[in-house]
């Protein structure tokens, strides 16, 4: 099967949209991702999957921690910015939790210490041990078949 056919099939799984953030050498880095999941309740672990070609791959290899911010439907422009699809008109002012940058007003922020990484195919699974969580009310930004959406009509 060709790569496009595989990607189209995987795109049929509706997901939320996240931005993974970290800080390396006093510089904040972010990447939009929907390959995120919880792994364990005890200990509290999550994982994100990052392509080896992504700039974030090298940054996460160097960092001691990272965060996953789960975006609300009002944060589509932030997702597009970190996906390299559209630049923001204004600079993003990050909040910092336990020294790790997070997206302000995200539905949830999950701050982690780096736990382990696992190279699989052309991606690396980065496992984080959750140390802090933040929650806000709102509706999620969703992604399905290559398009943004939400649970409610926009």
């Amino acid at each position: 099967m060709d790569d496009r056919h595989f990607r189209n099939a995987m795109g049929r799984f509706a997901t939320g949209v996240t931005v993974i953030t970290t800080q390396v050498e006093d510089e904040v880095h972010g990447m939009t991702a929907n390959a995120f999941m919880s792994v364990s309740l005890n200990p509290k672990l999550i994982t994100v999957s990052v392509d080896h070609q992504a700039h974030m791959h090298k940054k996460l290899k160097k960092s001691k921690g990272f965060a996953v911010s789960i975006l609300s439907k009002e944060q589509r422009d932030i997702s597009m910015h970190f996906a390299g699809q559209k630049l923001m008109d204004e600079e993003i002012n990050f909040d910092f939790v336990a020294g790790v940058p997070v997206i302000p007003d995200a539905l949830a922020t999950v701050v982690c210490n780096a736990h382990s990484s696992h190279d699989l195919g052309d991606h690396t699974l980065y496992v984080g041990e959750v140390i802090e969580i933040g929650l806000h009310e709102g509706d999620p930004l969703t992604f399905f078949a290559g398009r943004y959406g939400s649970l409610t009509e926009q």
Side-chain angles (χ1 to χ4, degrees):
M1 100 188 56
D2 74 350
D3 291 351
R4 176 50 46 197
H5 189 64
F6 180 78
R7 288 178 64 98
N8 288 344
M10 296 303 102
R12 297 289 187 232
F13 183 65
T15 67
V17 179
T18 72
V19 171
I20 304 164
T21 48
T22 193
Q23 185 170 354
V24 177
E25 299 172 3
D26 295 330
E27 191 174 340
V28 173
H29 303 276
M31 180 188 93
T32 299
N34 62 355
F36 156 75
M37 67 178 215
S38 63
V39 173
S40 171
L41 186 59
N42 189 14
K44 291 168 182 54
L45 301 173
I46 58 96
T47 190
V48 294
S49 179
V50 179
D51 188 304
H52 292 162
Q53 301 302 313
H55 295 291
M56 183 59 85
H57 174 66
K58 293 176 188 169
K59 304 305 179 188
L60 288 175
K61 285 262 187 214
K62 293 180 181 178
S63 75
K64 292 182 167 78
F66 63 93
V68 177
S69 296
I70 301 171
L71 301 185
S72 73
K73 70 179 184 179
E74 290 81 22
Q75 294 177 309
R76 181 177 171 175
D77 286 347
I78 292 172
S79 172
M80 293 177 78
H81 172 80
F82 286 108
Q85 298 168 336
K86 177 183 176 183
L87 292 178
M88 296 285 290
D89 293 333
E90 55 197 51
E91 185 176 318
I92 296 171
N93 293 315
F94 296 93
D95 288 340
F96 284 81
V97 177
V100 179
V102 299
I103 303 296
D105 302 318
L107 291 181
T109 53
V110 182
V111 180
C112 303
N113 286 329
H115 180 277
S116 58
S117 63
H118 309 275
D119 290 336
L120 297 168
D122 57 6
H123 279 62
T124 297
L125 299 180
Y126 290 95
V127 179
E129 183 173 11
V130 179
I131 58 171
E132 295 282 345
I133 289 183
L135 297 171
H136 286 92
E137 293 297 318
D139 291 320
L141 180 62
T142 62
F143 200 73
F144 175 76
R147 293 190 311 268
Y148 289 103
S150 69
L151 295 180
T152 59
E153 292 297 318
Q154 292 183 333

